Amino acid sequence: MPFSDSSTSRSRQAGAARTRSPLTLAWLAALWIGVLGNWPLWQRMTGMPDYAGPSGQLFVVVFAGIVVLVLAACFSLLAWRVAVKPLLTLMLLLTAPLAYFIGSYGVVIDSAMITNALQTDLRETRDLMGWGLAAHVAVIALLPLLWLWRQRLTDRRWYQRLGWNLASVALALALGVGLAATRTAELASTLRNHKVLTKMVSPINAIWASAALVVQKQKKPKGPPEIVAADATLTPRPAGARPPLVLLVVGETARSENFQLNGYGRPTNPELSGKPVLSYREVASCGTSTAASLPCMFSQLGREAYVDHPGNQETLLDVLQRAGLAVLWLDNQSGCKGICDRVPNAQAINPARADHPLPAGLCRPDGECLDEAMLHDLDARIAALDPQRVARGVVLVLHQMGSHGPAYYLRTPADRKPFQPECRSNALQQCPLEEVRNAYDNTIAYTDHVLAKAIDWLGTQQSRFDPSLLYVSDHGESLGENNLFLHGMPYALAPKQQKHVPLILWLPAQTRQSQRLDEACLSQRRDTPMSHDGLYHTVLSLSGVQTSVYRKDWDWVGACRRGG
């Protein structure tokens, strides 16, 4: 092993335990993590057509050697007697779960994925736990740690140790450059055409992504949010006109192609198919995860400007409230990501309240509730809002649990599982793909039921309000296509299934008349390309808020409004 500087003290006395250089541990850890800890990367590469045949397989070996040497260079910097064991322990404990999630679900690690992981609540974390994760931690981390912590280490003066460590770094980098020089063309092609592979190198990419996230957070302006649309006011209503009631349902992990309304061959929308709804079939999301999409959806900037903006601006809900409307956010998931912090908000889960009991069967003992819980007693929730604001109009947001994976089977009640058999495991890769699709399609069919019930409730409000319903999912989902599961891929690399989302509108004749919306025009736009960029501006127009930041060209219904 390079730089094993323990030769002078291998056996001070008979039977004495062997001592090792910290550099020996660093190189052994690099070899272990580079080869075994990155097995998903080697599996991906060996299965790609670009690396078929003896030459391609040899390049995979060369690439693995480069990864090991880069790790050796990095770990050599950690090779200090006091620090090496704790720091290598951290690397092993980080690599093991990364190998499981990358290998099992095909995810890659970037700053957006790190953010998503940090914002995941205990219920979502529970769904990701399993024997597969335990096995990876045991084999990749605990097994070498049992050996690591039994090793005695040599000691040297700090300047000698620094010299050995820097020499080790130089050797590792020199060998890595030498290996890279043997296959320059293939390496350049891989870095250019298969960037996803570089995001699978553990634990380097996770550490890099975390550091980038810290830098990004530091750039975010401190203090109160920047005021947006300070000129927001309500458009005067004609005498006798009813105030608006906008019900915005933010879906979770629903992909457009699994909606019967959009041409899917399975009856996933049996109830909505019988209602006068409009389903738009070409809608792109802001991101591929809740943490990325949700704040972007409620920003006036649009995706292209939002991704480069430092953040800390007021959201759509702040503007609606400033204009004088009653606003309420109901959450059945991991929170609103700061969107609802300055408006009335509540968790749908609140069975302990005597004045707001939930019917039996809506919540499990572990505290997770079905999305129907958010529909319970909405009249009472509105009655609890400021009556003066309610008289001007209401915007109610429901944030679904929806189709959140991998435990899709937990998102639907036992009597609403039309597609069988379904995968009843969170280890999706171990289920037949048809069973995974059945479990997922059951969640779409249940969302169909929830939306139909929401429309029925809105129908009861037509004597008081001009109601409307907007449903749009935050992002899509991969269900095994190209061996990918779940979501969260970098946007530029993500497949269409993670970015193509459903958008459903319900605008009864009463509302279309008050909003001066042409029904034929709305229907003709069902295949018009749209995106999350329009959510902000559509809600402004349907709720009767006028402001200089409003963009009619981004408003989903703006092109169909007569007389302006």
Side-chain angles (χ1 to χ4, degrees):
M1 189 58 57
F3 299 100
S4 180
D5 53 286
S6 59
S7 57
T8 60
S9 56
R10 288 179 178 172
S11 53
R12 294 188 177 183
Q13 57 184 20
R18 182 180 180 181
T19 58
R20 300 184 187 276
S21 164
L23 282 172
T24 300
L25 301 187
W27 280 74
L28 287 173
L31 182 63
W32 181 269
I33 291 175
V35 175
L36 184 61
N38 280 279
W39 73 261
L41 174 58
W42 315 134
Q43 182 186 64
R44 172 75 69 89
M45 291 185 71
T46 55
M48 295 173 64
D50 289 13
Y51 309 113
S55 178
Q57 298 299 298
L58 178 59
F59 173 73
V60 175
V61 173
V62 170
F63 194 78
I66 294 172
V67 169
V68 169
L69 289 168
V70 171
L71 288 171
C74 294
F75 291 172
S76 293
L77 297 173
L78 313 178
W80 297 82
R81 186 174 184 274
V82 175
V84 67
K85 287 185 180 181
L87 291 174
L88 291 181
T89 297
L90 179 62
M91 295 300 104
L92 288 164
L93 291 175
L94 179 61
T95 300
L98 288 173
Y100 171 71
F101 290 118
I102 295 173
S104 298
Y105 301 114
V107 301
V108 298
I109 309 301
D110 61 359
S111 296
M113 181 62 74
I114 297 292
T115 300
N116 208 39
L118 292 174
Q119 294 182 1
T120 298
D121 65 13
L122 291 177
R123 293 176 295 160
E124 295 171 348
T125 302
R126 174 206 60 207
D127 292 346
L128 295 170
M129 300 295 109
W131 289 110
L133 176 59
H136 276 73
V137 172
V139 173
I140 296 177
L142 298 185
L143 188 62
L145 285 177
L146 290 175
W147 178 86
L148 174 69
W149 282 93
R150 296 181 64 184
Q151 304 309 303
R152 294 180 58 193
L153 299 178
T154 56
D155 197 9
R156 285 182 176 272
R157 296 184 182 276
W158 71 268
Y159 52 85
Q160 293 176 316
R161 172 57 52 210
L162 178 62
W164 280 104
N165 290 0
L166 292 178
S168 180
V169 171
L171 175 64
L173 293 179
L175 292 174
V177 170
L179 266 183
T182 67
R183 305 298 290 266
T184 304
E186 293 95 327
L187 184 61
S189 175
T190 295
L191 297 178
R192 181 178 62 252
N193 300 324
H194 302 295
K195 294 180 180 179
V196 67
L197 297 178
T198 64
K199 295 181 179 293
M200 295 176 65
V201 179
S202 297
I204 293 177
N205 192 62
I207 296 172
W208 180 268
S210 299
L213 182 61
V214 171
V215 172
Q216 180 182 337
K217 293 291 186 183
Q218 291 299 316
K219 291 181 179 179
K220 186 175 181 178
K222 303 297 189 292
E226 175 189 347
I227 294 176
V228 175
D231 60 343
T233 59
L234 292 177
T235 303
R237 292 198 312 271
R242 301 175 183 86
L245 169 57
V246 180
L247 178 58
L248 171 59
V249 182
V250 179
E252 168 64 36
T253 321
R255 63 189 213 173
S256 180
E257 67 182 61
N258 286 61
F259 273 62
Q260 177 188 357
L261 292 171
N262 295 339
Y264 189 46
R266 307 181 85 180
T268 52
N269 300 125
E271 296 186 53
L272 289 181
S273 294
K275 294 185 179 295
V277 299
L278 296 167
S279 183
Y280 294 86
R281 298 184 278 247
E282 295 296 333
V283 183
S285 67
C286 274
T288 62
S289 67
T290 303
S293 274
L294 207 59
C296 177
M297 293 167 69
F298 286 80
S299 167
Q300 88 286 358
L301 294 172
R303 181 181 181 276
E304 289 189 9
Y306 183 84
V307 295
D308 295 324
H309 195 273
N312 202 28
Q313 284 189 334
E314 289 184 336
T315 72
L316 169 64
L317 303 187
D318 294 301
V319 176
L320 297 172
Q321 185 164 257
R322 177 180 298 116
L325 297 170
V327 181
L328 175 63
W329 177 288
L330 289 179
D331 206 285
N332 193 35
Q333 219 212 100
S334 58
C336 67
K337 317 303 181 189
I339 296 166
C340 65
D341 288 354
R342 294 169 297 277
V343 303
N345 61 86
Q347 284 284 331
I349 306 169
N350 203 358
R353 276 185 52 179
D355 60 334
H356 193 74
L358 290 174
L362 284 184
C363 298
R364 297 201 308 269
D366 62 5
E368 182 177 320
C369 292
L370 297 167
D371 283 332
E372 282 180 87
M374 292 188 291
L375 301 178
H376 179 64
D377 214 4
L378 286 178
D379 296 273
R381 291 192 183 274
I382 292 178
L385 299 173
D386 183 341
Q388 292 184 338
R389 290 181 173 273
V390 171
R392 302 185 194 107
V394 178
V395 177
L396 178 60
V397 185
L398 308 184
H399 186 200
Q400 285 188 292
M401 178 61 80
S403 303
H404 199 289
Y408 304 123
Y409 69 98
L410 294 178
R411 313 296 173 232
T412 54
D415 60 343
R416 291 196 171 274
K417 295 179 180 290
F419 305 107
Q420 293 293 335
E422 68 172 0
C423 176
R424 299 187 63 81
S425 170
N426 57 8
L428 299 178
Q429 71 281 1
Q430 297 178 9
C431 287
L433 289 183
E434 185 60 27
E435 292 187 13
V436 173
R437 186 173 294 272
N438 285 343
Y440 182 82
D441 284 348
N442 285 336
T443 67
I444 301 299
Y446 180 60
T447 289
D448 176 81
H449 173 66
V450 172
L451 294 178
K453 287 190 67 174
I455 290 173
D456 290 341
W457 173 76
L458 287 170
T460 67
Q461 305 298 308
Q462 289 184 276
S463 61
R464 298 176 57 201
F465 300 101
D466 284 337
S468 57
L469 177 139
L470 293 80
Y471 164 82
V472 63
S473 184
D474 58 353
H475 55 80
E477 186 86 326
S478 289
L479 297 176
E481 299 89 0
N482 301 313
N483 294 316
L484 295 178
F485 290 93
L486 304 182
H487 52 268
M489 290 282 287
Y491 199 86
L493 305 174
K496 185 177 182 180
Q497 288 86 356
Q498 295 190 23
K499 299 183 289 189
H500 188 202
V501 295
L503 166 61
I504 294 172
L505 302 182
W506 175 76
L507 299 165
Q510 170 182 314
T511 301
R512 291 197 305 273
Q513 181 178 356
S514 66
Q515 293 278 338
R516 308 187 312 280
L517 294 172
D518 182 86
E519 182 178 7
C521 173
L522 292 170
S523 181
Q524 290 168 3
R525 288 173 54 81
R526 285 181 295 178
D527 290 312
T528 300
M530 298 179 180
S531 74
H532 277 164
D533 294 354
L535 174 66
Y536 189 102
H537 307 276
T538 306
V539 173
L540 286 180
S541 70
L542 289 178
S543 57
V545 175
Q546 56 186 12
T547 170
S548 58
V549 304
Y550 167 74
R551 290 187 56 167
K552 182 179 179 180
D553 57 325
W554 284 6
D555 183 352
W556 294 330
V557 301
C560 297
R561 182 168 281 112
R562 297 183 297 270

